[in-house]
Amino acid sequence: MSKITDLIFKGAKHYVTSKYGYRQVINTRNGTTKTFHNGTDYGTNSKKLPQYAIENGTIISTGVGSDGGKYIWIKYPRLNVKMLHYHLDSIVVKKNQTVNSDTLLGYTGATGKATGIHLHLSVVNLADNKYLDPEEYAKTYNTEVVNTPVTNTEENVYIVKKDDTLSQIAKTYNTTYQNLAKINNIKDPNKIYVGQKIQITPVTNTYTVKKGDTLSQIAKTYNTTYQNLAKINNIKDPNKIYVGQVIKVK
């Protein structure tokens, strides 16, 4: 385990099953492995855990290898490296897609030359195109750079992690689980899943007042204050809004 794989698995339990370097060949249903292992393998207790990007980057390519293994190559410009995720069960990103640490890449699997569910992670230095030992490289990894949103529509999106509840997420964003359920059309607030994208506020710049609305309620929905809404809408009395009124919320 390392700082990097902790980010990939969002803290979910995993462990090293095969280190970088020379090793005995392994016979699998899809063929025999090579003697030199150009990455590190991480077991997940047979769970198809979601895998995430570690910071801002770009998907170089995705696909299926000659052995049937599903893979993703990601370029991380700040680090000047690219990383390979191999043996995936499924992939949810596309070539040229920009990613950050909240971007779900896919799910851990056993495709290709594998004897069980795991992540094969390779790290390549773009300066000389040489493979690095992922565990050793991770010792020098620094996470101090702030993660930036990928697109405007994702600024208010939260990716569900292991053990999250809708109530906890709501508390973090100073809203209610009922409001998040309404925005995301979640019928059962007790049923959310790892990797699910939760929209914190509606993707819109305006709100049309409905019967029973108050400026305070609208402000809470959009994670702002009634004073701010009153200011940007030139509302002199926050207690006086009317049905059909269009309120700017951003």
Side-chain angles (χ1 to χ4, degrees), residues 209-245:
V209 177
K210 299 178 180 62
K211 185 178 179 180
D213 281 341
T214 66
L215 205 60
S216 293
Q217 290 172 336
I218 297 168
K220 193 169 185 179
T221 297
Y222 288 90
N223 198 28
T224 185
T225 64
Y226 76 85
Q227 294 95 332
N228 183 52
L229 292 185
K231 182 179 179 180
I232 64 177
N233 288 279
N234 196 29
I235 298 172
K236 294 180 180 180
D237 185 346
N239 295 312
K240 291 183 179 179
I241 58 175
Y242 55 88
V243 174
Q245 183 176 0

Side-chain angles (χ1 to χ4, degrees), residues 137-149:
Y137 176 76
K139 293 177 183 178
T140 67
Y141 179 70
N142 143 19
T143 58
E144 291 179 358
V145 171
V146 176
N147 190 52
T148 58

Side-chain angles (χ1 to χ4, degrees), residues 1 9 12-18 41-46 117:
M1 295 190 335
F9 290 118
K13 188 176 181 181
H14 62 285
Y15 48 90
V16 174
T17 57
S18 185
D41 290 344
Y42 299 91
T44 57
N45 290 307
S46 299
I117 295 172

Side-chain angles (χ1 to χ4, degrees), residues 36-129:
F36 186 79
H37 191 217
N38 64 10
T40 300
D41 290 344
Y42 299 91
T44 57
N45 290 307
S46 299
K47 295 179 180 179
K48 294 181 179 180
L49 295 178
Q51 296 178 24
Y52 296 84
I54 63 172
E55 61 173 64
N56 299 317
T58 305
I59 303 298
I60 299 173
S61 63
T62 68
V64 180
S66 58
D67 65 347
K70 296 180 182 179
Y71 68 85
I72 301 171
W73 275 106
I74 310 172
K75 178 181 179 180
Y76 293 110
R78 181 182 76 89
L79 306 174
N80 199 33
V81 301
K82 62 180 180 180
M83 295 188 186
L84 170 68
H85 294 236
Y86 208 82
H87 303 300
L88 290 156
D89 182 71
S90 59
I91 297 169
V92 300
V93 289
K94 297 179 180 179
K95 182 179 179 180
N96 297 326
Q97 180 177 334
T98 54
V99 299
N100 64 23
S101 63
D102 284 330
T103 303
L104 175 66
L105 302 173
Y107 292 86
T108 311
T111 57
K113 295 178 182 178
T115 57
I117 295 172
H118 72 285
L119 161 67
H120 168 95
L121 180 69
S122 289
V123 181
V124 176
N125 184 346
L126 293 175
D128 55 16
N129 213 36

Side-chain angles (χ1 to χ4, degrees), residues 166-249:
L166 206 58
S167 293
Q168 291 171 336
I169 297 168
K171 189 174 182 180
T172 298
Y173 288 92
N174 193 32
T175 185
T176 65
Y177 76 86
Q178 295 96 332
N179 186 47
L180 292 184
K182 181 179 179 181
I183 292 171
N184 292 276
N185 195 28
I186 297 172
K187 294 181 179 179
D188 187 345
N190 295 312
K191 291 183 179 179
I192 57 174
Y193 55 88
V194 173
Q196 183 176 0
K197 290 186 177 182
I198 302 295
Q199 191 75 38
I200 304 304
T201 60
V203 185
T204 180
N205 293 320
T206 61
Y207 175 84
T208 302
V209 177
K210 299 178 180 62
K211 185 178 179 180
D213 281 341
T214 66
L215 205 60
S216 293
Q217 290 172 336
I218 297 168
K220 193 169 185 179
T221 297
Y222 288 90
N223 198 28
T224 185
T225 64
Y226 76 85
Q227 294 95 332
N228 183 52
L229 292 185
K231 182 179 179 180
I232 64 177
N233 288 279
N234 196 29
I235 298 172
K236 294 180 180 180
D237 185 346
N239 295 312
K240 291 183 179 179
I241 58 175
Y242 55 88
V243 174
Q245 183 176 0
V246 177
I247 303 291
K248 294 178 183 177
V249 293

Side-chain angles (χ1 to χ4, degrees), residues 17-35:
T17 57
S18 185
K19 296 180 180 180
Y20 172 91
Y22 288 97
R23 66 179 185 180
Q24 290 185 333
V25 298
I26 300 171
N27 294 314
T28 76
R29 66 183 183 279
N30 290 320
T32 303
T33 62
K34 296 178 180 179
T35 54

